[in-house]
Amino acid sequence: MAYVSVKGGEKAISNAHRWLEEDRRGDRAIPELSTEQIREQMSLAVDRVMAEGSCYDRDLAALAIKQARGDLPEAVFLLRAYRTTLPRFGASLPIETEDMAVRRRVSAAFKDIPGGQVLGPTFDYTHRLLDFTLAANGETPIEPAPQADEPQAYPMPTIASVFRHEDLLEHEEPTEGAGEPFDLTREPMSFPAGRDQRLQALARGDEGFLLSLAYSSQRGWGSTHPLCGEIRLGEVAVEFVPEELGFPIEVGEITVTECTMLSGSSGSATRAPQYTRGYGLTFGHCERKAMSVAIVDRALRRAEIGERADSPVQDEEFVLYHSDNVEASGFVQHLKLPHYVDFQASLQFIRTLRREFFERQAAMKEAAE
Amino acid sequence: MTPSNAPERYYNYAYLDEQTKRMIRRSILKALAIPGYQVPFGSREMPVPYGWGTGGIQLTAAIIGPEDVYKCIDQGADDTTNAVSIRRFFAKVADVETTEDTGQATIIQSRHRIPEKPLKANQVMIFQVPQPEPLRGLEPRETETRAMHAYAEYGLQYVSLYESVSAYGRIATGAGYPVMIEERYLMSPSPIPKFDNPKLNDSEAVLLFGAGREKRIYAVPPHTTVRSLDFDDYPFEVQTWEQSCALCGSEDSYLDEVDLDDAGQKMFVCSDSHHCAERREAGHAGPMAGHALDQSKEPAP
Amino acid sequence: MSQTLDLAKIHPGFLDPVRESQAVFRKVMDAVARPGSVADLAFAVDGPPGLDCAAAAVALTLFDFETPVWLDPALAGGEAEGWIRFHAGCPLTPETSRAAFALVARAQDCPPLSAFNQGDAKYPDRSTTVIVQVAGLEGGEPVVLTGPGIKTETVIAPRGLPHGFWEQLETNNAQFQYGVDVMLVAGQLLLALPRSTRAQIRKG
């Protein structure tokens, strides 16, 4: 009764969902996780879900993680499916990352840069040794990080400002009157994609996919020889202009991670040699993701810069059509749905081909005898 | 009937917000005006995964009203898990009556089949489409395939069919068999078996196709010419079976093969579960009538 | 284009927007799927002066901030314009070639169909849908429609169309996949003439 099991009907579905609930809860002797605990103590998971879920709400992301039993792409899907039902009021003003209240800012391009290297909360330079004290008593005394003697530079100078006087880095001026940016949540992808469409797709894209693409580029598959110009993490204000007021009001503050990658360009007959940039921005603290996005963005600028395209990371349709994990996960997993009607068509065909194959063999054997 | 703004409803009537419905409705009208052409639309994330009927669900949500009677099938059957899940969804969010009776339904959403009973003028058939682009298997780039449709350059498709003929002595495609609409647009009929292709031609009902993940809507209005591609010397033909349905004895419906044991024993039954049930009720019986499968159906919700 | 509206003068729109727009859409969808068949939208809405009930119903059902709308001089600047802006929230455009929808209240002065957006080769769906108010959907010269959505042929006889309209429609159909899609409205009635429809004035 191979396929009959899929005809389980209503009862089977309800029961399966109850079982799922039980599994989500796990051993009832262990206290249930609160969404506040997830929000505070699994904060990087929350950040990733907000970034890929295109929805900045730490509490909803924590709820999604809890409901998804920690399966982050599933949590991203939950958050997206909620987000899509929300009414849309309009677009905020562009955030100003130059005015960021910086918690972390490092540059690999210079030993020191104006504003200084600010390490902030980072796994970098930690020794990846399991800390068994976290397991032993659940609560480890935390030694508070000391305050710096001097206040940090504000605004924190950007890598672009360091290069400005020598014109070594390409300029990126905001386009005046460019209108609203492309919005993938309301329009389907179209090609060739503008940089707004690309950066939105990458910001929503799957971290694992983008990480691997960035890595492939580093290993020579469409290399851009990137150098980490700057990574900054911190809080920025979000401003919105309500139609009825006509002036911007601050609607809140969000944490973002921004990365600028530098790549040398030898220029052309009309263009002086200069550094070009790849750019990545994500909600929350998603450093690996922001760096990957910056590398992939730069690789995808190949047409504009005049580079050959021979690697997956340089192929806009390949990268943008396959970076969304909600689409990818759904379509890969839809193979679990019954396909027996098309399979029946295929079975008939294979059986016919096999019959003809054996008839031919028999005929050849006869001829040989 | 619960008013759409009743406080107990957490989501809008039929789930989608009104702006999204308008956007989809506009796309449907353009799709009907250009039969077979794939209209890009701002597909939304649905509460079911991409690949599980999000295009069909968005089409249904954009057109459904409380007077509709809704039927949902997967592989021809009303009781397959995903069909059950989608039917429940609309019963909940759209206050509609649901049915398994093909003749009673005003909206029929389907994955991979067209019912055996001929569709009527008051019915809308909604197809769930995984890959709307018939040429995608031959050319992965959207920029290329869109140009092929723009200039009706379908040589690539014919070359592929010809290669199939020279390799296998026949056109190998058994499901998702490409069709020409009004001799202008090449269209994927969705992965229905080619057995169902003739039902698309000169249909009485409006046929709508929705691909959520790929963000495309297309349509075939009633009484539209839908031709399955073929060659003069290799004409299009549909699947046939030596067997008849084991339960209802039907000799002209699409059959599923059901393995009964590990020793190769099998039975063939109608894929269209309602068609089969209706025939059995009318007194038709196949060679294995009364088999356990006959009773396996749960009562309708 | 964005003077402030005098809200006191605005006629009401749908009483139950969710239900009514769904009901109107199903009628309109059927009309487009079956060109020449007449949809009765009497239940829908009592539009502002100058706008027929069926045109008003279509506007409320299909227009919004994503659809630039062109209004003919008979509607532009008047009460109907305020009503459409208020209820549909759509941007208005003075350029026929940029319009997603065009509303023509005075059919006699309808710009040539070729003046509207014809769509492009890869995206023919981007063309304008032109809604024309006519004197009546019956009583004019008989026109035979054929094409997708029509079993054999459908005969219509709308009244009050500009001279040469059917020749324009023939040209529109001949350039398929390009072309505008037309809806004719009269009072509460609507019929659709999508670009796929061939129309010929009946001889004799």
Side-chain angles (χ1 to χ4, degrees):
Chain A
M1 298 269 219
Y3 290 113
V4 184
S5 58
V6 297
K7 296 194 175 191
E10 312 245 344
K11 214 164 160 192
I13 294 179
S14 302
N15 291 345
H17 291 172
R18 273 191 221 153
W19 195 348
L20 174 75
E21 270 303 287
E22 272 180 33
D23 273 11
R24 180 190 61 73
R25 180 60 183 85
D27 184 350
R28 274 158 211 254
I30 310 290
E32 178 156 1
L33 259 179
S34 73
T35 53
E36 290 81 8
Q37 285 172 324
I38 295 171
R39 186 190 66 209
E40 296 303 316
Q41 297 174 40
M42 308 281 274
S43 59
L44 296 182
V46 167
D47 285 347
R48 179 173 174 191
V49 169
M50 292 195 306
E52 292 171 27
S54 282
C55 180
Y56 196 97
D57 188 315
R58 305 197 74 83
D59 292 299
L60 287 180
L63 171 60
I65 291 166
K66 175 172 174 168
Q67 191 179 328
R69 304 167 60 191
D71 178 344
L72 298 189
E74 180 69 23
V76 168
F77 179 22
L78 284 168
L79 195 57
R80 288 256 197 106
Y82 174 76
R83 178 201 190 278
T84 195
T85 66
L86 299 176
R88 186 176 183 282
F89 296 116
S92 74
L93 294 177
I95 56 170
E96 294 291 349
T97 52
E98 290 194 26
D99 299 337
M100 178 189 284
V102 167
R103 279 192 282 147
R104 168 165 166 78
R105 195 289 294 269
V106 291
S107 170
F110 296 99
K111 184 165 195 270
D112 201 5
I113 56 171
Q117 305 273 15
V118 181
L119 286 188
T122 177
F123 287 122
D124 297 349
Y125 321 113
T126 61
H127 295 139
R128 268 60 167 205
L129 303 170
L130 280 175
D131 180 356
F132 290 100
T133 58
L134 289 176
N137 45 23
E139 188 77 43
T140 313
I142 292 175
E143 207 178 312
Q147 279 286 314
D149 297 333
E150 289 183 25
Q152 191 171 282
Y154 184 85
M156 178 70 80
T158 63
I159 187 75
S161 63
V162 177
F163 280 109
R164 200 162 284 147
H165 67 282
E166 257 189 294
D167 198 28
L168 279 173
L169 181 63
E170 64 178 337
H171 293 280
E172 273 173 1
E173 302 300 338
T175 324
E176 288 300 328
E180 271 194 35
F182 192 93
D183 184 359
L184 273 177
T185 66
R186 292 190 302 135
E187 295 170 68
M189 204 85 81
S190 71
F191 294 98
R195 202 170 181 200
D196 49 351
Q197 181 184 337
R198 178 204 308 158
L199 286 172
Q200 186 191 14
L202 297 179
R204 285 157 59 88
D206 182 76
E207 179 172 319
F209 178 74
L210 296 172
L211 173 68
S212 295
L213 280 175
Y215 178 50
S216 73
S217 165
Q218 277 184 293
R219 288 195 64 258
W221 295 69
S223 180
T224 58
H225 304 285
L227 183 83
C228 187
E230 181 180 22
I231 291 171
R232 55 169 63 199
L233 160 74
E235 281 64 44
V236 292
V238 179
E239 294 184 312
F240 182 75
V241 183
E243 278 298 328
E244 58 272 31
L245 290 184
F247 56 84
I249 53 165
E250 191 176 318
V251 292
E253 194 181 73
I254 59 172
T255 301
V256 296
T257 309
E258 185 186 49
C259 175
T260 300
M261 287 283 174
L262 306 178
S263 297
S265 159
S266 48
S268 64
T270 52
R271 191 169 168 164
Q274 215 181 19
Y275 287 99
T276 57
R277 314 191 221 200
Y279 184 75
L281 182 83
T282 73
F283 281 159
H285 189 184
C286 299
E287 213 160 297
R288 189 190 298 120
K289 164 88 177 265
M291 293 176 77
S292 304
V293 169
I295 292 172
V296 174
D297 169 54
R298 175 57 188 79
L300 288 174
R301 292 181 63 203
R302 54 138 209 104
E304 169 198 341
I305 289 161
E307 291 163 341
R308 279 189 309 133
D310 42 24
S311 299
V313 71
Q314 297 166 312
D315 185 327
E316 169 171 277
E317 276 202 46
F318 178 81
V319 174
L320 300 190
Y321 263 135
H322 302 112
S323 59
D324 190 290
N325 60 20
V326 177
E327 290 174 8
S329 168
F331 200 52
V332 166
Q333 297 203 61
H334 106 285
L335 293 174
K336 291 181 281 193
L337 290 177
H339 282 80
Y340 56 80
V341 161
D342 0 349
F343 188 63
Q344 180 62 223
S346 150
L347 264 180
Q348 279 199 342
F349 182 65
I350 292 283
R351 284 194 183 122
T352 310
L353 290 187
R354 279 174 63 85
R355 199 186 57 236
E356 288 173 0
F357 171 82
F358 290 116
E359 281 166 6
R360 272 199 308 276
Q361 281 215 323
M364 273 159 65
K365 206 171 155 199
E366 238 173 70
E369 279 165 5
Chain B
M1 189 179 86
T2 323
S4 58
N5 53 358
E8 66 266 32
R9 192 191 288 290
Y10 192 65
Y11 292 98
N12 191 29
Y13 176 79
Y15 183 78
L16 295 175
D17 61 281
E18 291 303 300
Q19 198 277 325
T20 299
K21 287 184 195 167
R22 274 193 299 274
M23 175 272 297
I24 296 172
R25 287 167 180 166
R26 292 192 293 261
S27 304
I28 292 172
L29 297 185
K30 286 298 178 190
L32 286 165
I34 318 167
Y37 162 76
Q38 300 165 48
V39 181
F41 81 111
S43 176
R44 307 294 200 245
E45 277 96 356
M46 289 287 100
V48 303
Y50 285 123
W52 297 57
T54 54
I57 290 173
Q58 288 182 77
L59 283 174
T60 297
I63 74 166
I64 203 165
E67 283 80 37
D68 277 307
V69 180
Y70 179 68
K71 172 181 166 88
C72 187
I73 52 174
D74 186 349
Q75 314 293 299
D78 297 274
D79 57 355
T80 35
T81 42
N82 204 43
V84 169
S85 157
I86 295 173
R87 188 166 61 235
R88 269 184 173 182
F89 178 72
F90 281 110
K92 193 160 116 187
V93 300
D95 309 318
V96 284
E97 190 188 327
T98 62
T99 185
E100 298 192 359
D101 188 335
T102 305
Q104 293 297 313
T106 57
I107 297 176
I108 302 172
Q109 184 174 331
S110 171
R111 180 170 167 265
H112 297 191
R113 273 314 307 277
I114 299 175
E116 306 293 1
K117 178 179 279 185
L119 300 173
K120 297 179 299 188
N122 69 338
Q123 296 181 315
V124 180
M125 178 87 203
I126 291 178
F127 295 80
Q128 298 170 201
V129 182
Q131 177 49 264
E133 180 48 72
L135 298 162
R136 185 63 70 237
L138 309 172
E139 167 54 61
R141 280 178 203 281
E142 169 69 8
T143 37
E144 295 291 326
T145 51
R146 197 147 271 270
M148 291 178 194
H149 289 295
Y151 307 110
E153 280 173 10
Y154 295 131
L156 189 65
Q157 179 69 69
Y158 278 101
V159 168
S160 148
L161 293 179
Y162 181 76
E163 283 171 354
S164 172
V165 166
S166 49
Y168 307 113
R170 57 179 65 73
I171 294 170
T173 312
Y177 191 106
V179 292
M180 275 300 273
I181 308 302
E182 292 280 323
E183 296 306 319
R184 174 57 184 85
Y185 279 104
L186 183 71
M187 189 189 93
S188 164
S190 88
I192 55 172
K194 63 179 178 177
F195 180 89
D196 285 340
N197 275 22
K199 299 172 185 168
L200 297 166
N201 184 46
D202 195 24
S203 165
E204 289 288 336
V206 175
L207 312 176
L208 301 179
F209 298 78
R213 187 181 44 81
E214 296 284 342
K215 302 171 177 59
R216 298 289 185 270
I217 285 171
Y218 53 102
V220 176
H223 308 298
T224 295
T225 310
V226 179
R227 178 174 67 84
S228 302
L229 299 188
D230 61 359
F231 298 108
D232 286 344
D233 41 351
Y234 291 93
F236 173 77
E237 49 189 27
V238 300
Q239 290 101 340
T240 52
W241 282 260
E242 288 162 16
Q243 301 84 353
S244 57
C245 172
L247 302 179
C248 79
S250 171
E251 292 182 342
D252 55 4
S253 75
Y254 193 85
L255 300 181
D256 293 336
E257 183 175 326
V258 180
D259 288 325
L260 296 176
D261 55 26
D262 296 347
Q265 242 229 327
K266 56 186 64 158
M267 70 193 280
F268 287 82
V269 294
C270 290
S271 123
D272 184 337
S273 59
H274 176 257
H275 176 72
C276 193
E278 205 172 46
R279 281 178 49 84
R280 279 178 276 148
E281 266 167 48
H284 296 280
M288 291 174 81
H291 184 274
L293 263 185
D294 214 340
Q295 273 85 48
S296 69
K297 223 158 74 69
E298 290 175 51
Chain C
M1 275 290 156
S2 54
Q3 334 60 328
T4 38
L5 297 169
D6 182 355
L7 296 183
K9 274 195 183 161
I10 307 261
H11 268 240
F14 287 142
L15 295 176
D16 182 350
V18 173
R19 286 298 164 26
E20 284 169 81
S21 58
Q22 185 271 336
V24 169
F25 175 72
R26 279 293 276 281
K27 296 263 185 186
V28 173
M29 180 178 97
D30 225 48
V32 174
R34 296 177 168 82
S37 68
V38 174
D40 188 339
L41 306 175
F43 61 90
V45 66
D46 189 15
L51 204 56
D52 282 1
C53 157
V58 169
L60 293 188
T61 302
L62 296 174
F63 298 3
D64 62 27
F65 68 89
E66 291 187 335
T67 57
V69 172
W70 182 86
L71 298 179
D72 79 347
L75 294 171
E79 224 173 303
E81 180 192 297
W83 184 85
I84 290 168
R85 277 177 57 203
F86 178 79
H87 288 291
C90 55
L92 300 179
T93 175
E95 291 168 63
T96 46
S97 62
R98 292 191 44 151
F101 290 95
L103 258 182
V104 179
R106 199 174 294 139
Q108 291 305 325
D109 301 335
C110 183
L113 295 181
S114 58
F116 295 101
N117 189 338
Q118 307 292 303
D120 72 45
K122 291 177 184 168
Y123 298 96
D125 56 301
R126 292 179 184 170
S127 69
T128 308
T129 299
V130 185
I131 301 151
V132 186
Q133 284 186 188
V134 297
L137 296 187
E138 288 175 355
E141 61 180 338
V143 175
V144 180
L145 307 180
T146 53
I150 300 167
K151 190 166 188 162
T152 50
E153 58 175 47
T154 296
V155 179
I156 60 169
R159 255 182 313 123
L161 282 160
H163 184 71
F165 177 82
W166 297 110
E167 286 75 14
Q168 284 189 50
L169 207 71
E170 202 179 320
T171 312
N172 188 57
N173 168 257
Q175 57 164 355
F176 188 91
Q177 75 253 31
Y178 305 92
V180 299
D181 302 305
V182 175
M183 292 178 187
L184 302 183
V185 294
Q188 64 205 46
L189 305 179
L190 172 147
L191 68 78
L193 299 166
R195 71 193 83 175
S196 58
T197 301
R198 293 175 285 277
Q200 280 193 312
I201 298 168
R202 183 138 82 187
K203 301 277 159 33

